[in-house]
Amino acid sequence: MAIDRRREAAGGGPGRQPPLPPLHPGGGPHPSCCSAAAAPSLLLLDYDGSVLPFLGGLGGGYQKTLVLLTWIPALFIGFSQFSDSFLLDQPNFWCRGAGKDTELAGVTTSGRWGDMGNWTSLPTTPFSTAPWEAAGNRSNSSGADGGDTPPLPSPPDKGDNASNCDCHAWDYGIRAGLVQNVVSKWDLVCDNAWKVHIAKFSLLVGLIFGYLITGCIADWVGRRPVLLFSIIFILIFGLTVALSVNVTMFSTLRFFEGFCLAGIILTLYALRIELCPPGKRFMITMVASFVAMAGQFLMPGLAALCRDWQVLQALIICPFLLMLLYWSIFPESLRWLMATQQFESAKRLILHFTQKNCVSPESDIKGVMPELEKELSRRPKKVCIVKVVGTRNLWKNIVVLCVNSLTGYGIHHCFARSMMGHEVKVPLLENFYADYYTTASIALVSCLAMCLVVRFLGRRGGLLLFMILTALASLLQLGLLNLIGKYSQHPDSGMSDSVKDKFSIAFSIVGMFASHAVGSLSVFFCAEITPTVIRCGGLGLVLASAGFGMLTAPIIELHNQKGYFLHHIIFACCTLICIICILLLPESRDQNLPENISNGEHYTRQPLLPHKKGEQPLLLTNAELKDYSGLHDAAAAGDTLPEGATANGMKAM
């Protein structure tokens, strides 16, 4: 038979021994040669079903302590992630001694100082003058006496402000609660304002490279070493940032600070996921997100307390000193040790867990420890994220989630600018603190809604719903508002610009709400469907994609918002593509985490409708593709077919 001849040619025919593995130059079998018989026990690979229940699940006191230790640093991470809003905020500034008529309104992050002739004066921030006098929010880099500062700013002059950049000494009115920040320290205004955007790039670019590199390293050497070394180096670089002598040194050190911060974020995220049973993963992850948001809400108070940017930077980094204790109290991920077949280290860690939890050896009903004893001599098998290229389903899932996170975080800036940009004249949204807390509140409500939606619709259903909301808000803002703008120009239409502004704010709030959920859920989804052996590498790709999405904001700001409309259109088109691609993802709610590449490859999408009895499914899994029983029966039936006919009834050409 044709099938038998094919099997015999491959060395798997009946009654025939498989060929011996090729010899390694050292005399043993080649390391790349692995047979199915050499695979470890399925009991050891079923971590969620056998090992985790033996350790007490999340009910063990030691596991609860470890989860708590992954939550506490989220507060420090929240401080670091949102520090740019205060360190690099563009203040109001004016030429010292020239009087308030020559004052320049502080252009926000959406302004560009290179094109002087096209400046337009912005409305001043509606802060009361009393707090400014009490807080002393007038600073300059020339070290002049504060008593010689000019009176508080009034609305800026509507004339040409280009000549005012000839000034060599400035006074500043900082909006972000500080007496002095990076901009006022080194006079990063007018021709030097582009350096502010470079400083913003540096932290984001450091995060992107950190996610990509530390993710691969964490899959190879483990989560614990990457976490500990990231803590040590963020202390070194973060504290050195506070001692910067110029903006070049500041930007360079911020890059390395972002690189180390990425290692901490990534490893803590993976450790948190790998500690939890299937039913608790999402809840544990969302608690960490809420703790990070607490850092975002507390950041303005911390800035007002510090008053100086150097003190603020040092105070943000110093709490990471507490994480040096993790060297002695935080273990390696047991799930990663089991997945990479490091059974000797896994045995020691299991005994450590059982001792901490006071677990009796008699509770090992499935016999995990006896099976582990048999596999102690096995060599570790570590995998790099590059192995994804040879898969059929796994790479597709990761790419889809990368595009989702890129789109979610990229379009979030479009909605934020539409609500808080210059085209919407809403007095409340011209206040720094109102802008800041509005963004933080929308993110908080988004996470609360995500908890409810994911509980009822699952991961895939929730991601699809939020992406549809993002697409609708984007398309309505691009299309409907343009239509309203045309009708408002007619005197008898009954519409005014205020109607357009209200619609713009409403769509922007919905878009920010939904896009934040899309980005956060894409990262969590990736952590669940990526196998343990490459989980940090997959998370690094999705988080780096999110970083690229956030990087579009300072790029557009650097170019004075040129191309902003095209930027929004491109991301709006991406949302439509993502809606289709999300349907290709599997549902991971209440499912065990995949441990190796094979598990991740078989983690395929379930059909929306069940198969009818006797119906052949259109999409086959790898296991079904390797099953030749149907072809064998067809070939056997082919012996009775007339000559020239094939098994499926088609005539041979």
Side-chain angles (χ1 to χ4, degrees):
M1 307 299 291
I3 300 298
D4 288 337
R5 287 195 299 270
R6 190 176 304 169
R7 287 177 176 171
E8 290 174 3
R16 182 176 177 179
Q17 295 294 329
L20 293 175
L23 292 179
H24 191 263
H30 198 279
S32 63
C33 181
C34 305
S35 62
S41 171
L42 294 178
L43 185 67
L44 300 179
L45 295 180
D46 185 17
Y47 187 89
D48 286 315
S50 58
V51 180
L52 195 57
F54 169 53
L55 301 177
L58 197 59
Y62 190 52
Q63 287 92 311
K64 290 181 179 179
T65 302
L66 295 179
V67 169
L68 179 62
L69 290 176
T70 64
W71 285 344
I72 295 174
L75 183 66
F76 316 147
I77 293 170
F79 289 150
S80 297
Q81 286 182 315
F82 297 98
S83 60
D84 273 356
S85 300
F86 300 86
L87 299 178
L88 298 171
D89 177 62
Q90 185 73 51
N92 296 324
F93 61 97
W94 57 92
C95 189
R96 185 183 309 127
K100 61 183 179 180
D101 291 336
T102 58
E103 165 214 344
L104 295 178
V107 176
T108 60
T109 54
S110 61
R112 181 185 179 220
W113 300 99
D115 190 7
M116 301 297 180
N118 294 328
W119 284 357
T120 56
S121 299
L122 304 180
T124 54
T125 304
F127 289 148
S128 63
T129 58
W132 278 24
E133 293 174 353
N137 270 351
R138 301 175 192 172
S139 60
N140 58 76
S141 61
S142 303
D145 185 11
D148 296 331
T149 53
L152 288 171
S154 60
D157 187 15
K158 301 297 181 181
D160 185 14
N161 292 320
S163 59
N164 292 318
C165 278
D166 295 332
C167 182
H168 299 290
W170 303 96
D171 287 311
Y172 298 92
I174 302 177
R175 310 177 303 159
L178 295 172
V179 175
Q180 185 184 64
N181 67 357
V182 174
V183 179
S184 63
K185 172 72 174 179
W186 293 303
D187 286 334
L188 303 182
V189 294
C190 291
D191 292 338
N192 292 324
W194 61 273
K195 296 179 181 179
V196 178
H197 302 293
I198 299 300
K200 291 181 180 180
F201 291 163
S202 60
L203 184 68
L204 285 175
V205 174
L207 284 168
I208 292 171
F209 278 95
Y211 289 137
L212 295 174
I213 296 175
T214 59
C216 296
I217 297 175
D219 286 332
W220 196 258
V221 303
R223 284 76 163 116
R224 183 173 177 268
V226 173
L227 174 63
L228 296 176
F229 280 101
S230 297
I231 293 169
I232 293 172
F233 284 106
I234 197 174
L235 287 170
I236 295 173
F237 292 116
L239 293 176
T240 312
V241 167
L243 304 176
S244 300
V245 296
N246 53 46
V247 69
T248 303
M249 181 179 176
F250 176 86
S251 301
T252 304
L253 292 174
R254 287 283 279 180
F255 170 84
F256 291 106
E257 181 189 346
F259 189 97
C260 300
L261 183 65
I264 297 174
I265 295 172
L266 184 65
T267 50
L268 286 176
Y269 203 106
L271 286 167
R272 199 178 295 123
I273 291 287
E274 293 172 356
L275 278 169
C276 302
K280 304 292 185 180
R281 289 193 298 259
F282 186 72
M283 179 193 70
I284 296 299
T285 304
M286 292 309 300
V287 170
S289 298
F290 289 127
V291 174
M293 288 181 188
Q296 182 179 2
F297 278 96
L298 293 175
M299 191 64 195
L302 196 65
L305 180 66
C306 295
R307 306 293 298 280
D308 188 84
W309 73 270
Q310 292 174 308
V311 179
L312 178 62
Q313 172 67 19
L315 192 61
I316 289 171
I317 298 298
C318 282
F320 286 103
L321 285 169
L322 299 175
M323 295 187 69
L324 291 176
L325 299 174
Y326 284 32
W327 191 281
S328 59
I329 62 178
F330 210 98
E332 181 57 83
S333 170
L334 178 59
R335 189 188 294 267
W336 177 77
L337 292 174
M338 298 289 287
T340 54
Q341 302 178 16
Q342 302 180 66
F343 295 124
E344 185 71 35
S345 301
K347 178 187 174 182
R348 292 195 298 267
L349 191 52
I350 288 177
L351 294 176
H352 180 66
F353 269 79
T354 55
Q355 181 183 1
K356 290 287 186 179
N357 292 329
C358 300
V359 175
S360 173
E362 298 178 357
S363 62
D364 188 9
I365 302 175
K366 296 186 178 181
V368 173
M369 292 304 292
E371 288 292 335
L372 191 61
E373 294 284 349
K374 299 176 184 178
E375 305 288 350
L376 292 180
S377 60
R378 186 178 295 275
R379 297 183 61 182
K381 185 179 180 181
K382 300 177 181 179
V383 185
C384 182
I385 188 63
V386 180
K387 291 287 185 181
V388 172
V389 177
T391 61
R392 190 183 64 159
N393 293 315
L394 190 56
W395 74 269
K396 174 255 299 178
N397 295 336
I398 294 177
V399 168
V400 169
L401 292 173
C402 285
V403 176
N404 273 269
S405 63
L406 172 67
T407 303
Y409 283 103
I411 203 170
H412 187 84
H413 167 69
C414 299
F415 292 121
R417 184 189 178 277
S418 297
M419 183 173 69
M420 302 173 186
H422 308 312
E423 69 274 11
V424 179
K425 303 299 188 297
V426 181
L428 178 63
L429 298 179
E430 294 169 5
N431 186 308
F432 172 82
Y433 291 104
D435 288 354
Y436 185 85
Y437 280 115
T438 298
T439 303
S441 300
I442 291 173
L444 178 62
V445 174
S446 175
C447 287
L448 291 173
M450 191 164 53
C451 294
L452 297 175
V453 171
V454 169
R455 176 168 182 170
F456 292 102
L457 299 182
R459 280 64 159 150
R460 183 176 63 175
L463 185 59
L464 182 62
L465 175 62
F466 287 120
M467 185 59 78
I468 291 174
L469 287 176
T470 304
L472 287 176
S474 180
L475 295 176
L476 288 173
Q477 192 167 49
L478 291 172
L480 182 60
L481 293 184
N482 189 26
L483 185 63
I484 292 176
K486 290 181 178 179
Y487 276 104
S488 62
Q489 296 177 358
H490 298 285
D492 56 346
S493 63
M495 294 186 180
S496 62
D497 290 337
S498 62
V499 176
K500 180 181 177 181
D501 291 343
K502 291 177 181 178
F503 274 109
S504 179
I505 292 175
F507 293 148
S508 297
I509 291 175
V510 174
M512 292 175 67
F513 162 84
S515 60
H516 182 273
V518 166
S520 301
L521 197 52
S522 297
V523 176
F524 176 75
F525 210 158
C526 177
E528 283 199 319
I529 67 176
T530 306
T532 301
V533 292
I534 57 170
R535 178 163 294 119
C536 285
L539 266 174
L541 288 174
V542 177
L543 286 169
S545 299
F548 276 114
M550 291 185 283
L551 194 61
T552 58
I555 291 175
I556 294 295
E557 292 164 3
L558 182 62
H559 290 83
N560 197 25
Q561 303 296 338
K562 292 178 180 177
Y564 160 75
F565 189 73
L566 180 61
H567 171 220
H568 198 167
I569 290 177
I570 291 174
F571 278 115
C573 295
C574 289
T575 59
L576 302 178
I577 298 173
C578 290
I579 290 173
I580 301 173
C581 294
I582 289 171
L583 299 175
L584 302 175
L585 296 173
E587 177 54 60
S588 59
R589 180 173 60 177
D590 297 329
Q591 299 293 324
N592 294 345
L593 291 177
E595 304 298 338
N596 50 40
I597 297 291
S598 178
N599 296 147
E601 183 66 5
H602 288 84
Y603 210 150
T604 54
R605 177 182 64 85
Q606 297 296 322
L608 297 177
L609 299 175
H611 297 303
K612 295 181 180 179
K613 189 175 181 180
E615 181 182 1
Q616 181 75 12
L618 296 178
L619 297 177
L620 301 178
T621 63
N622 283 356
E624 293 170 330
L625 289 173
K626 294 178 181 178
D627 186 7
Y628 291 97
S629 58
L631 294 176
H632 190 284
D633 295 340
D639 293 339
T640 61
L641 294 174
E643 186 176 359
T646 60
N648 61 1
M650 299 295 292
K651 290 279 186 180
M653 299 300 293

